[in-house]
Amino acid sequence: MAQTEEKRLPRHLAFIMDGNGRWAQERGLSRSAGHRAGAERLREVCYWVLDYGIRHMSVYAFSTENWRRSKQEVNGLMRLIPDFFQRYAAELRELGVTVHFVGDLEELSPSTQKIIEKMRATPPDQPEMDLYICLNYGGRREIVRAVQKALRSPDPLALADQLTEERFRDFLYLPGMPDPDLIVRTAGEQRLSNFWLWQAAYAEFYYSPAYWPDFGQADLAQALETYSHRQRRYGGEKSVDAHH
Ligand code: IPE
Ligand code: IPE
Ligand code: MG
């Protein structure tokens, strides 16, 4: 790992945690069991990412489209989310992880909203990493919400004349969050599925065949190694190192 540390790392590493269902199916388990295994894996991945000294990490936990799944699966996920954070909030805080929840949170259960509020009120004393949990998140929904916020500003017509990409960002859920540099999607699917639409404009993509509950330390190392060799040009001619 010492070697990788000297290489260019993403400032913001994002994960589309996919494949919990297939992982469970292959083992004859329920999809909910797959999500539980996926949640435990998320905890471990946090440790590895912290070890690399990566400052921003985001995960796609539940999309605005995931409500289309069976009632049983949705209910299982809606119970798992507050359980997970009740169990691990103190540990994450101890590790210096500041957890931010991103999405339309008012549609989540009261117990989920309660733990979100509690975690917001008790950030770590020594922050090491910002972890963004996308929950009931959709990139298109985020952009629509941003437009709604802009239209509700005191003088929307004046704003219309002045609106730039940078000012538009102020209306997104987390204006201060740096854009993802690397988006890792597990379980072999090669699509964004409505994740970070605005923010992913110049992200690098890495697809791992591993199901999320099996995504291991070596898989992470491989993703970061691959990223370190990518040339990011942002439309220009030469490779630029945007953030280091
Ligand atoms: C990702 O795993 C977790 C969520 C979307 C909540 P999936 O449940 O999508 O797993 P597959 O894609 O069916 O294997
Ligand atoms: C994306 O995975 C959403 C999350 C990981 C939370 P999906 O499994 O929902 O994506 P699709 O349906 O295969 O595109
Ligand atoms: Mg999936």
Side-chain angles (χ1 to χ4, degrees):
M1 201 158 73
Q3 264 186 344
T4 316
E5 261 165 14
E6 287 153 26
K7 289 185 181 152
R8 190 166 50 91
L9 287 167
R11 176 151 72 133
H12 176 176
L13 171 60
F15 291 100
I16 300 177
M17 307 185 288
D18 199 15
N20 294 348
R22 278 163 281 175
W23 181 90
Q25 196 172 8
E26 283 187 7
R27 286 163 178 74
L29 301 170
S30 67
R31 294 181 62 85
S32 290
H35 295 313
R36 283 196 295 275
E40 294 306 319
R41 181 44 47 119
L42 169 61
R43 172 178 168 265
E44 288 168 293
V45 171
C46 286
Y47 277 87
W48 307 334
V49 172
L50 269 163
D51 261 357
Y52 279 101
I54 293 171
R55 198 67 187 70
H56 301 270
M57 168 174 160
S58 62
V59 295
Y60 205 6
F62 192 86
S63 76
T64 47
E65 288 73 40
N66 285 146
W67 297 104
R68 290 180 190 153
R69 297 185 178 198
S70 75
K71 206 168 170 229
Q72 192 188 10
E73 183 173 353
V74 170
N75 286 346
L77 277 162
M78 290 302 134
R79 267 197 306 274
L80 171 64
I81 290 159
D83 282 1
F84 178 82
F85 288 103
Q86 266 145 20
R87 202 150 9 114
Y88 296 125
E91 183 178 335
L92 289 166
R93 188 174 182 276
E94 212 46 45
L95 286 169
V97 177
T98 309
V99 183
H100 309 262
F101 292 88
V102 197
D104 276 5
L105 307 175
E106 62 281 2
E107 287 170 16
L108 300 170
S109 72
S111 63
T112 304
Q113 294 194 39
K114 211 169 127 196
I115 184 79
I116 288 175
E117 212 29 71
K118 190 174 158 208
M119 290 175 78
R120 191 176 284 148
T122 52
D125 296 325
Q126 285 185 321
E128 300 282 344
M129 181 170 91
D130 288 284
L131 174 64
Y132 310 96
I133 311 274
C134 292
L135 212 49
N136 194 24
Y137 174 88
R140 287 183 172 176
R141 177 83 65 92
E142 178 177 31
I143 292 168
V144 170
R145 291 281 176 265
V147 173
Q148 287 176 319
K149 276 185 232 167
L151 291 173
R152 287 196 191 105
S153 65
D155 193 348
L157 287 179
L159 179 63
D161 290 332
Q162 294 156 10
L163 198 60
T164 58
E165 291 176 17
E166 279 322 303
R167 285 200 69 182
F168 186 77
R169 190 180 284 273
D170 291 339
F171 298 104
L172 298 176
Y173 290 124
L174 292 169
M177 182 190 78
D179 285 346
D181 300 291
L182 173 63
I183 298 180
V184 173
R185 183 167 185 150
T186 57
E189 244 66 71
Q190 305 196 350
R191 55 178 171 257
L192 206 46
S193 300
N194 206 14
F195 191 40
W196 292 145
L197 282 191
W198 176 275
Q199 297 86 344
Y202 272 100
E204 297 291 325
F205 288 87
Y206 181 85
Y207 301 103
S208 170
Y211 296 143
W212 176 255
D214 287 332
F215 183 79
Q217 210 163 2
D219 299 309
L220 176 62
Q222 179 74 59
L224 293 172
E225 167 70 17
T226 304
Y227 172 80
S228 75
H229 299 295
R230 297 274 176 90
Q231 291 195 358
R232 304 181 72 190
R233 285 185 283 271
Y234 298 93
E237 290 165 67
K238 292 197 203 81
S239 174
V240 282
D241 210 346
H243 52 263
H244 283 134

